[in-house]
Amino acid sequence: MILVVLQGYYIYNSYRLEEKELIRQARAIADKTLDTMEKYETETNEEKLVGDFQRLKTGITIQKEKITQPERIYSSEKIYNEKLEKILKKNIGDSGFEIGMKSEIYSILDEVQKKELLPTNRSLVLYQTVKKMSKPLTINEGKWSSRQSRQNTDLKLDEKNYYLVKSKSTFQLLNVKILVLKKIIPLIIISLLIVILIVYLFRNSIKNLNRQEKKISQLHTTIDSIAHELNTPITTLKFSVAQTSDSETKAFLERQIKRLENIVSSIHNNDSDGILIDEKEMGNYFSEVKKSFDKIDFKIKIDFTVNKSLFQNDFRQIMDNLIDNSSKYGAKEIEVVIKMNKLIEIEVSDNGIGIPKEEKENIFDKYYRISRVENLHVNGLGVGLFLVKKIVDKYKGDIDVNPKKKGVSFKITIPNEA
Ligand code: ADP
């Protein structure tokens, strides 16, 4: 939509510019024509013209006749018209312009009688083209006085003819619309093509995007069902291992089965166990963690007043994933701050390789792993943070990631109400 409006605006502007330019050129032609026409404005002609004013004057005042067509009064008009057409044609040349022109007297003030000789909205045409104008533009305007006195002593006449005459010349480029259109048609076609191309590309990208999304969701379903299908062989294996008598093989197989189970359960979130985590259980949990990650320096701060909502296995799963990640991604130090008051706040900060700001939105997507060199040798399915987010969402809580100078900090907030 915006694109169409912008293109429209652009074409409109080009139209106006082109129109302005063509009118400027037409004005120059009209101007030149007018210059040539001025050569015919000789003194004899002017006298003739003033004589016509006289006829106009007497016509109106003495015979009391209403003059309806004063433009007809000026008898020389016809010859001038022909001259105008000829000069104009020569000046236009092969530019394709159709120009209308007119030179007229639009006011004749009889200064003796203080009276306008021309009826309102009527003018005395000096010359004009055959093609008439609908919206004339002024080329120039002029004002001049004619003063003649005649004395006739026999008749005791003292005649004075003083006139103040106002005239103007106008022109119009009659075929301006067609000329402009001819010039900007290629532009319109190109603009249309651009719009069509962009709409086509846009539709194609949307289609591709949908196709990709469908493929990704199919892939997710497949991985989920593989994990689900693995449950049965794991159970059978567990049962068979229990029967094995060789204790060394048994221990080895049990470790491998445990690994398999962990992978499968990381894809499928376990249901809540219905037991709320308390301060003692938290303490137990962290001493286990410290033993498992003996190379990491833990700083644990717990401010426990009450827990009305967070279940034990959800707490474990959140902590397991966050601590496991910190350890996988280079942390030497992990700080855990837990507050269980009006709100449940859990903050896990580390000093590992950190998370780039632009990845903040992606890391909670299922199977998403940041692709970077540091990750190449770190195992993972990209489901850890997805599960953490899912659990937090279940409690209508929030999870916030804050990249630090060195490392990253995750802050979870959960309402503490039953
Ligand atoms: P993975 O199995 O890849 O660890 P997760 O969902 O747990 O999957 O994490 C998603 C991505 O976020 C990881 O691939 C990793 O690049 C990044 N990440 C998560 N936790 C941390 C962390 N503590 N430090 C640095 N990067 C992390």
Side-chain angles (χ1 to χ4, degrees):
M1 251 329 262
I2 291 172
L3 191 81
V4 171
V5 171
L6 280 179
Q7 290 281 354
Y9 180 70
Y10 173 62
I11 291 174
Y12 174 75
N13 262 356
S14 312
Y15 182 96
R16 297 309 300 242
L17 268 174
E18 199 57 55
E19 186 184 54
K20 226 170 151 183
E21 172 57 21
L22 288 175
I23 290 176
R24 192 192 63 77
Q25 288 174 16
R27 181 186 289 274
I29 294 175
D31 224 11
K32 197 173 159 198
T33 311
L34 216 61
D35 276 353
T36 321
M37 286 302 288
E38 266 166 21
K39 274 197 280 181
Y40 301 109
E41 283 174 19
T42 55
E43 243 171 67
T44 350
N45 276 333
E46 201 176 305
E47 249 170 51
K48 217 165 146 219
L49 186 63
V50 176
D52 284 328
F53 295 165
Q54 193 64 22
R55 278 175 46 213
L56 186 64
K57 190 164 116 190
T58 48
I60 290 170
T61 53
I62 297 176
Q63 288 164 9
K64 294 205 166 102
E65 198 181 274
K66 201 172 176 205
I67 297 178
T68 50
Q69 288 177 308
E71 56 267 37
R72 290 270 166 82
I73 286 171
Y74 187 50
S75 52
S76 309
E77 190 199 343
K78 207 163 159 265
I79 331 162
Y80 285 122
N81 285 354
E82 280 161 15
K83 283 190 172 138
L84 172 71
E85 294 282 358
K86 234 166 97 187
I87 298 164
L88 193 59
K89 200 171 161 205
K90 194 173 139 244
N91 287 343
I92 286 174
D94 53 10
S95 62
F97 286 11
E98 263 179 40
I99 298 176
M101 275 182 76
K102 188 175 184 181
S103 211
E104 66 200 309
I105 287 171
Y106 64 91
S107 161
I108 306 164
L109 186 72
D110 182 343
E111 288 186 305
V112 180
Q113 292 183 21
K114 299 266 174 271
K115 196 173 168 197
E116 173 61 54
L117 294 188
L118 284 175
T120 3
N121 291 332
R122 277 296 164 84
S123 62
L124 197 156
V125 177
L126 300 174
Y127 47 82
Q128 64 180 333
T129 50
V130 180
K131 283 170 191 148
K132 299 288 172 292
M133 299 177 281
S134 53
K135 285 178 191 157
L137 298 169
T138 307
I139 312 173
N140 62 29
E141 278 189 73
K143 201 155 97 176
W144 50 276
S145 320
S146 159
R147 296 182 164 248
Q148 289 176 352
S149 319
R150 221 170 7 162
Q151 275 184 348
N152 190 328
T153 33
D154 292 347
L155 293 170
K156 290 191 178 141
L157 263 175
D158 187 3
E159 197 179 280
K160 273 186 193 163
N161 287 323
Y162 290 0
Y163 303 112
L164 178 67
V165 183
K166 287 183 187 164
S167 63
K168 68 173 178 190
S169 302
T170 48
F171 84 105
Q172 188 184 345
L173 180 57
L174 299 164
N175 59 345
V176 65
K177 282 202 172 93
I178 294 172
L179 290 175
V180 175
L181 274 179
K182 260 192 205 160
K183 285 218 166 178
I184 67 163
I185 271 179
L187 196 80
I188 295 177
I189 293 176
I190 291 173
S191 296
L192 267 177
L193 284 179
I194 292 177
V195 171
I196 291 172
L197 188 77
I198 289 178
V199 169
Y200 172 78
L201 289 178
F202 183 72
R203 273 193 53 183
N204 245 18
S205 336
I206 297 268
K207 251 194 204 162
N208 274 345
L209 210 73
N210 285 341
R211 213 179 300 148
Q212 294 286 345
E213 267 181 8
K214 222 170 148 186
K215 272 190 187 165
I216 290 174
S217 104
Q218 273 170 357
L219 201 70
H220 285 187
T221 323
T222 314
I223 299 174
D224 289 354
S225 42
I226 292 174
H228 186 73
E229 289 303 314
L230 281 176
N231 275 325
T232 326
I234 289 174
T235 320
T236 321
L237 275 176
K238 263 168 119 177
F239 182 73
S240 313
V241 168
Q243 320 286 318
T244 314
S245 49
D246 181 350
S247 61
E248 214 176 297
T249 322
K250 196 174 173 180
F252 173 74
L253 286 176
E254 270 172 355
R255 269 204 311 277
Q256 298 308 316
I257 291 172
K258 186 75 201 149
R259 275 182 72 185
L260 257 179
E261 263 186 332
N262 282 348
I263 295 173
V264 171
S265 71
S266 75
I267 294 176
H268 290 286
N269 187 15
N270 292 338
D271 287 337
S272 294
D273 55 4
I275 307 166
L276 293 170
I277 181 96
D278 58 19
E279 198 171 4
K280 187 170 163 248
E281 192 47 43
M282 257 184 226
N284 292 340
Y285 172 79
F286 284 114
S287 40
E288 270 172 43
V289 164
K290 280 179 189 167
K291 263 188 234 153
S292 321
F293 299 92
D294 55 354
K295 291 203 175 62
I296 292 177
D297 178 15
F298 279 96
K299 285 199 175 78
I300 316 277
K301 276 186 219 154
I302 301 173
D303 169 13
F304 189 99
T305 310
V306 67
N307 171 26
K308 292 182 188 163
S309 68
L310 185 59
F311 292 121
Q312 202 167 278
N313 63 343
D314 287 335
F315 172 80
R316 276 176 172 269
Q317 202 151 12
I318 291 175
M319 293 315 296
D320 277 350
N321 279 304
L322 294 181
I323 293 172
D324 196 42
N325 275 350
S326 294
S327 136
K328 280 198 304 188
Y329 299 109
K332 296 274 170 291
E333 225 180 78
I334 300 177
E335 189 182 348
V336 180
V337 180
I338 297 176
K339 289 181 192 159
M340 292 217 173
N341 304 312
K342 273 185 188 153
L343 265 182
I344 297 178
E345 291 168 85
I346 301 173
E347 194 167 354
V348 178
S349 318
D350 65 35
N351 62 350
I353 58 171
I355 293 176
K357 235 198 251 158
E358 62 276 12
E359 294 282 3
K360 270 174 68 174
E361 303 296 316
N362 306 325
I363 51 173
F364 297 106
D365 290 346
K366 200 171 187 183
Y367 303 121
Y368 187 85
R369 304 201 69 211
I370 301 176
S371 61
R372 52 180 167 178
V373 215
E374 297 95 317
N375 270 22
L376 282 181
H377 305 292
V378 181
N379 291 332
L381 290 171
V383 285
L385 289 182
F386 166 77
L387 284 182
V388 172
K389 171 100 171 62
K390 211 166 137 194
I391 296 170
V392 173
D393 284 348
K394 188 173 81 183
Y395 288 95
K396 296 197 169 54
D398 270 325
I399 180 158
D400 208 14
V401 201
N402 290 308
K404 302 193 305 176
K405 239 188 190 164
K406 180 152 175 45
V408 64
S409 157
F410 287 88
K411 184 166 183 184
I412 292 168
T413 327
I414 291 173
N416 196 1
E417 49 208 39

